């Protein structure tokens, strides 16, 4: 009998590992590289890069690239009058096809930190179906680099943390790790982390 496939491709199946993966995030200084961060594996190979508005020149826009520099996700914050009237700002992540067309793959509601505190941030996988079985939420405090992404059953699919040796060091905000569970789309996880970095005044923000 064939084993059950537990992969959850959102951006691409090629970013779903059959085993747990621990990746390291290192922020890039604004003045040197224009902001953003780099994600490396245990062998120090670059797996993903995130460019923020310091590089792109546009506020509320982020790009997730693979280790070769190819675009994987274009992430934009919904703006205009709708945003001004809304309690929650919304971010949308799009995959980019070879012909330049965009396909919406996830939406994230940014909490209004002045009104609601400690409420989980919700992520919807697109296109929306009849069920919420593919939705996620974030619990914890990304600003402290201590939070988790949970699936609709409450299972942790990815966890952000700081290694003990840098916990009491100023570098802890510039260097942290992300544990991604087996079968989970790592590109999706770091697309979400890119948004969190921007929301909480990280290196992706101008």
């Amino acid at each position: 009998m064939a084993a059950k496939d537990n992969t959850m491709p959102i951006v691409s199946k090629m970013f779903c590992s059959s085993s747990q993966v621990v990746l390291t995030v290192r922020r890039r200084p604004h003045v040197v590289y224009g902001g953003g961060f780099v994600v490396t594996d245990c062998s120090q190979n670059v797996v993903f890069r995130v460019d923020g508005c310091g590089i792109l020149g546009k506020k509320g826009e982020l790009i997730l690239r693979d280790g070769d520099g190819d675009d994987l996700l274009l992430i934009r914050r919904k703006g205009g009058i709708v945003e001004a009237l809304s309690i929650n700002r919304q971010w949308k992540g799009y995959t980019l096809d070879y012909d330049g067309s965009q396909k919406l793959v996830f939406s994230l509601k940014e909490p209004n930190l002045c009104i609601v505190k400690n409420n989980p941030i919700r992520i919807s996988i697109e296109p929306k179906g009849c069920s919420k079985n593919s939705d996620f939420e974030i619990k914890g405090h990304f600003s402290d680099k201590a939070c988790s992404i949970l699936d609709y059953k409450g299972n942790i699919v990815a966890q952000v943390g700081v290694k003990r040796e840098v916990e009491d060091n100023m570098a802890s905000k510039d260097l942290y790790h992300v544990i991604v569970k087996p079968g989970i789309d790592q590109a999706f996880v770091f697309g979400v982390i890119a948004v969190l970095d921007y929301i909480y005044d990280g290196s992706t923000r101008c």
Side-chain angles (χ1 to χ4, degrees):
M1 185 175 176
K4 185 180 178 182
D5 185 1
N6 291 321
T7 57
M8 294 180 62
I10 296 170
V11 176
S12 172
K13 192 171 184 176
M14 67 182 292
F15 300 113
C16 301
S17 173
S18 59
S19 58
Q20 179 172 286
V21 176
V22 180
L23 299 169
T24 300
V25 179
R26 187 183 299 274
R27 293 174 16 139
R28 295 186 303 218
H30 283 98
V31 288
V32 181
Y33 300 108
F37 59 81
V38 176
V39 181
T40 54
D41 61 17
C42 59
S43 302
Q44 301 300 311
N45 298 312
V46 175
V47 182
F48 301 109
R49 303 175 194 269
V50 172
D51 290 342
C53 64
I55 294 173
L56 304 176
K58 292 182 180 179
K59 288 189 176 182
E61 187 167 304
L62 309 166
I63 290 182
L64 175 74
R65 309 182 197 274
D66 64 15
D68 296 323
D70 294 327
D71 297 351
L72 297 176
L73 278 173
L74 171 63
I75 306 165
R76 286 182 173 145
R77 188 173 67 183
K78 194 174 181 180
I81 296 173
V82 174
E83 180 181 293
L85 298 174
S86 176
I87 294 175
N88 297 98
R89 295 173 177 176
Q90 199 167 51
W91 289 79
K92 292 184 179 293
Y94 303 86
T95 53
L96 304 168
D97 292 335
Y98 293 108
D99 60 0
S101 60
Q102 301 174 9
K103 178 186 175 185
L104 181 62
V105 291
F106 76 84
S107 298
L108 182 151
K109 288 184 178 180
E110 176 181 340
N112 188 320
L113 300 177
C114 297
I115 297 174
V116 181
K117 291 186 177 180
N118 300 323
N119 268 19
I121 297 172
R122 305 200 180 279
I123 308 158
S124 299
I125 303 307
E126 308 287 350
K128 290 177 181 171
C130 299
S131 112
K132 294 185 177 180
N133 288 3
S134 56
D135 288 356
F136 298 85
E137 67 179 26
I138 298 156
K139 286 188 175 179
H141 302 279
F142 181 79
S143 55
D144 298 329
K145 302 300 178 287
C147 68
S148 302
I149 302 175
L150 284 66
D151 65 14
Y152 76 102
K153 291 181 178 178
N155 299 314
I156 294 174
V157 299
Q159 204 160 13
V160 177
V162 178
K163 292 180 180 177
R164 285 185 179 178
E165 56 265 31
V166 296
E167 267 183 354
D168 298 324
N169 193 309
M170 286 296 290
S172 63
K173 287 193 173 182
D174 295 328
L175 183 68
Y176 57 95
H177 65 266
V178 179
I179 301 169
V180 184
K181 298 297 183 179
I184 303 303
D185 191 324
Q186 297 162 34
F188 162 69
V189 168
F190 284 97
V192 170
I193 288 173
V195 175
L196 295 175
D197 183 271
Y198 192 101
I199 292 172
Y200 293 99
D201 292 320
S203 60
T204 53
R205 192 164 188 160
C206 295

